[in-house]
């Protein structure tokens, strides 16, 4: 009887809702660090070795900028070139959509590396408003690197990246934004014992060895 009832129920409930009821709450690691600290590089290596999905806020904004018909294309373009942080309403929608799409396709993919977010107070408030109770932030993975190393890596990347912000003028602004707006967010998480810091000035493999140790114990 119960079996029959359950069987007939699961047929009637729309499959998306049925699947959603089985889903795990998203488990999130925020990945922060200066421009060029190696966030994207390390996230790719994590994805190769662990069951995480990498969502870069910057990549999502660049894709939205390029999307035909986007009402935010010009705004995003201006913000990126000026090294300013795009209003969170735009970014949080892109992140939410990407998370929902990932979990909608495969409910086992509930672990996310959210790279380059939250970058300022507005980002953090937007996350708290939209995601309160809907996702667990495990910790912040912080790639710590001097401004000089960050700038040099971005200038090197700029030779082939085609990015409008990998040039000296934009980089100076991005570093200022990082120091003034992002560092205080990292410090806030630090106060709650939620920051795992890696010395990102070393080689890719040395940095990744530390990352593995951190992910291994979490
Ligand atoms: P972010 O996402 O933090 O801006 P990226 O991962 O895109 O940084 O790296 C910036 C540039 O520096 C890229 O050209 C990348 O190949 C290079 N890079 C990344 N990590 C290292 C490292 N540990 N040592 C030297 N170069 C690196
Ligand atoms: O992380 P990434 O270097 O790709 O970010 C590039 C730019 O995208 C930032 O300098 C900023 O202008 C924009 N951005 C943003 N908000 C975020 C992440 C990135 O406005 N949370
Ligand atoms: Mg990046």
């Amino acid at each position: 009887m119960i079996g029959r009832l359950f069987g007939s129920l699961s047929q009637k409930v729309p499959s998306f809702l049925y699947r959603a009821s089985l889903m795990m709450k998203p488990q999130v690691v925020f990945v922060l660090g200066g421009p060029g600290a190696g966030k994207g590089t390390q996230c790719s290596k994590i994805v190769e070795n662990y069951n995480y999905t990498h969502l870069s806020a910057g990549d999502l904004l660049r894709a939205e900028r390029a999307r035909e018909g986007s009402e935010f294309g010009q705004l995003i373009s201006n913000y990126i070139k000026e090294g300013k942080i795009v209003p969170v309403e735009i970014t949080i929608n892109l992140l939410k959509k990407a998370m929902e799409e990932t979990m909608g396709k495969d409910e086992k993919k509930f672990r996310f590396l959210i790279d380059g977010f939250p970058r300022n107070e507005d980002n953090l408030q937007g996350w708290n408003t939209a995601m309160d109770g809907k996702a667990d932030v495990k910790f912040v993975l912080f790639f710590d690197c001097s401004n000089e190393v960050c700038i040099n890596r971005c200038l090197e990347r700029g030779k082939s990246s085609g990015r409008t912000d990998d040039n000296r003028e934009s980089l100076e602004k991005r570093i200022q934004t990082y120091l003034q707006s992002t560092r205080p967010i990292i410090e806030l998480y630090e106060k709650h014992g939620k920051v795992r810091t890696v010395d990102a000035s070393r080689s890719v493999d040395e940095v990744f060895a530390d990352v593995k140790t951190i992910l291994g114990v979490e």
Side-chain angles (χ1 to χ4, degrees):
M1 175 61 191
I2 287 176
R4 256 189 26 235
L5 183 66
F6 187 75
S8 65
L9 253 185
S10 65
Q11 274 160 21
K12 278 181 195 143
V13 175
S15 70
F16 171 73
L17 286 180
Y18 179 66
R19 290 229 310 277
S21 69
L22 300 176
M23 279 177 187
M24 283 284 295
K25 212 190 243 191
Q27 304 290 298
V28 171
V29 173
F30 287 144
V31 181
L32 292 174
K39 301 180 291 295
T41 303
Q42 294 297 326
C43 284
S44 297
K45 292 183 75 72
I46 294 171
V47 167
E48 281 168 25
N49 289 273
Y50 299 86
N51 191 17
Y52 274 95
T53 300
H54 174 211
L55 298 179
S56 155
D59 285 350
L60 289 169
L61 286 166
R62 282 183 287 272
E64 177 64 17
R65 177 183 63 181
R67 188 174 63 82
E68 203 161 325
S70 168
E71 54 183 313
F72 304 120
Q74 193 57 52
L75 181 149
I76 293 170
S77 188
N78 297 340
Y79 272 73
I80 287 183
K81 192 136 189 292
E82 291 301 311
K84 292 196 302 187
I85 308 302
V86 170
V88 71
E89 289 76 15
I90 297 174
T91 316
I92 199 78
N93 277 330
L94 296 171
L95 283 171
K96 259 183 86 178
K97 193 160 159 260
M99 288 167 79
E100 280 162 10
E101 271 174 20
T102 304
M103 293 180 68
K105 279 188 208 142
D106 181 352
E107 66 264 22
K108 290 193 289 298
K109 295 202 80 67
F110 57 86
R111 290 195 174 85
F112 294 93
L113 299 164
I114 301 195
D115 159 4
F117 186 96
R119 255 182 158 104
N120 65 1
E121 191 66 45
D122 176 58
N123 273 191
L124 182 57
Q125 278 185 11
W127 172 272
N128 288 339
T129 305
M131 302 303 287
D132 186 36
K134 296 188 187 134
D136 292 333
V137 176
K138 308 307 286 177
F139 57 92
V140 173
L141 186 55
F142 171 36
F143 291 106
D144 192 12
C145 207
S146 72
N147 297 339
E148 199 194 351
V149 170
C150 282
I151 290 170
N152 286 335
R153 284 184 188 171
C154 287
L155 288 176
E156 193 58 34
R157 181 175 62 187
K159 290 177 185 168
S160 59
S161 68
R163 283 178 54 156
T164 56
D165 58 350
D166 279 344
N167 56 74
R168 236 175 230 291
E169 204 187 330
S170 293
L171 273 163
E172 268 167 32
K173 296 174 181 166
R174 291 165 69 194
I175 292 284
Q176 282 315 310
T177 301
Y178 169 65
L179 296 176
Q180 283 165 13
S181 305
T182 311
R183 287 302 295 240
I185 302 297
I186 298 169
E187 277 155 27
L188 202 71
Y189 277 103
E190 187 87 66
K191 284 201 188 105
H192 293 98
K194 282 204 148 193
V195 178
R196 311 286 177 267
T197 302
V198 179
D199 173 2
S201 63
R202 299 163 300 155
S203 73
V204 171
D205 288 343
E206 283 171 311
V207 175
F208 189 58
D210 280 9
V211 169
K212 280 197 288 196
T213 307
I214 290 167
L215 293 179
V217 297
E218 295 289 346

